[in-house]
Amino acid sequence: MHTKKVNPILLFIRKNVKRLERLVFIFKSLLSPRQFIYFSCVLVGISSALAVIVLKTFAHSVYKFAQYLDGFLNLPYSNSAFPIIGILLTALVIQKLLNGSLQKGTAQIMYAVAKKSGIMPRKQMYAQIITSSFTVGMGGSAGLESPITITGAAFGSNFAQNYRLSYKDRTLLLACGVAAGIAAAFNAPIAGVLFAIEVVLTEISITAFIPIMISAATGALVSTIVLNENILLSFKEGEAFDYQNIPYYILLGIISGFICVNYTRTFSKIEHWFARYKSSVYRKAFIGATLLAVLIFFFPSLFGEGYESIKVLANQHPENILDNTILSSYKGNDWVLLLFIGLTMMAKVYATGFTLGAGGNGGNFAPSLFIGSYLGFVLAKFINLIGITKPMSVSNFTLVGMAGILSGLFHAPLTAIFLIAEITGGYNLMVPLMMVSSVSFAISKRFETYSFDIKDLAGKGDVFTNDKDKNILHSLEASQFIQHNFKPVPDSNSLEQLVELIKTTDELVFPVLNDKEQLQGLIDVAEIRPVILSPFKIKYTSIQEVMQPPKEIIFYDEMMETIIEKFENSQTQILPVLKNGKFIGFMSKISILEKYREKLKAMIIE
């Protein structure tokens, strides 16, 4: 009999993980519940930061390797091939190692909070790292922040599950992982805290702030110690803010808002086009990656996250953007440079759409910063070139533009303001940041009710939003309120048979059904009391004469918000429920409101 050999490295890791788990359980037994949460958020912060370090280091190394090959092989456009390899490898990993499915986007975190009691699959702790490393590291035009936040959330969720914590604490640690991930990715702890609150948790108690802040600070600290500063998106402090440029900052905010609306709708169309593509997974990956490669051939700065090109624009050397392009000989022409950067900005949504639609893994956080920086540069450079005002700081507009797009796309103005303030190392631009972010947010919100990443799920009621009433209603499962113990009345029955049925039950409303279990009408005992008290009327009145059509009908798959509206419109306490055209029971408004009050009370106490 042959025994299977175990890899000694894996065996060593498993033993030490088990020892660490036992140590944590000991800490849990010694600490108070609140102290254990503080201890846990530190561990989650460290884990999330280490995931960021792995992702960022790999992506940066591949980018540098691609640049090296360009020079070594003397093939200026060779890095167009890298994204094809990366996206195909991502598709291969998803199919062979992840059972053909991988949840992408930060919306999955909100879905877990709203519909899965804060529980995230264990595979999300490593799946996002592997797949996004291949996609973005090999040049896919997307960001690593979405995979980072999902990984952090998965660490927090699974840690809580492993140590048997409540839903409230599980959700809190999930948010801690998200905050630590963003904080580590940008060395911006305040932005990490605000992102977790604005984007992931729509409602939060004051006591939850402390663990989230601890996790964010831990993530930023680990990132600062371990990660090379050149890998992070950071800038020297911007130039002084000139109040005379206020009208142009407002204009930047307005344009940012409309670009966010266009980005949301264009990306959605690209994604739906790929979703309808029923061919082979690998063929779809190859087609999307090839389209991306064509764009990168003409616009090389679309390669990868694009943070290197943002640094080029903000650090007063924008002409270097034209290096390794078909327009490299025009580096001295400002109008050609302006046109090229503008076209690159417009092409970014297609590059990201092709990357993710083809099956690659990444997010839209980095693309929003990319487009924002390019937009700010184009606007300021254009105004300077036409000479309608004294020269403006192109660098400042490049930085502030990032906040405009991030705010409008994710509906997260506070995150946008403080992220740019932190990565620039100062708060000199606070006023324009606030102006551009708020204007962009207001315009985007006017045309798109929900943020880019939760738009589809919010429409189905699958995520929490800023509306507390809707959040509570969406957390209730309509099926649990259906009362199936009804007494049906066949439409062929006589009124005498109905009277005998009334004598044997306490029911006040009876459904009248045909032989196919289809609802014909309702009989309210209170309304027919004068009839059933008269023997003459009982004998000569039919079922059809006493039944009434329902004022409203509830369908099995309807959202709870719609169901409540039907109760309000009908001014009744009980309504019939149909499924596939057949009557399956009643729903009571009182039972729904009682459950609603329980949920609301629990939220207030927490």
Side-chain angles (χ1 to χ4, degrees), residues 25-64:
F25 269 115
I26 292 173
F27 273 110
K28 185 183 179 185
S29 64
L30 296 175
L31 300 174
S32 69
R34 195 64 189 168
Q35 290 171 337
F36 184 71
I37 288 296
Y38 292 150
F39 174 72
S40 301
C41 68
V42 172
L43 295 184
V44 170
I46 294 172
S47 302
S48 300
L50 292 176
V52 170
I53 291 166
V54 171
L55 274 170
K56 287 286 187 179
T57 303
F58 181 83
H60 187 74
S61 299
V62 173
Y63 175 82
K64 289 298 183 183

Side-chain angles (χ1 to χ4, degrees), residues 382-423:
F382 176 77
I383 292 173
N384 284 347
L385 286 176
I386 61 178
I388 61 174
T389 184
K390 69 177 185 179
M392 299 190 304
S393 171
V394 176
S395 176
N396 280 0
F397 274 78
T398 301
L399 296 174
V400 173
M402 290 192 285
I405 300 298
L406 180 61
S407 172
L409 203 59
F410 289 90
H411 290 190
L414 291 177
T415 300
I417 292 168
F418 283 93
L419 175 65
I420 305 306
E422 287 186 284
I423 65 177

Side-chain angles (χ1 to χ4, degrees), residues 254-265:
I254 294 172
I255 298 174
S256 296
F258 284 109
I259 285 182
C260 290
V261 174
N262 176 71
Y263 187 101
T264 298
R265 296 176 181 179

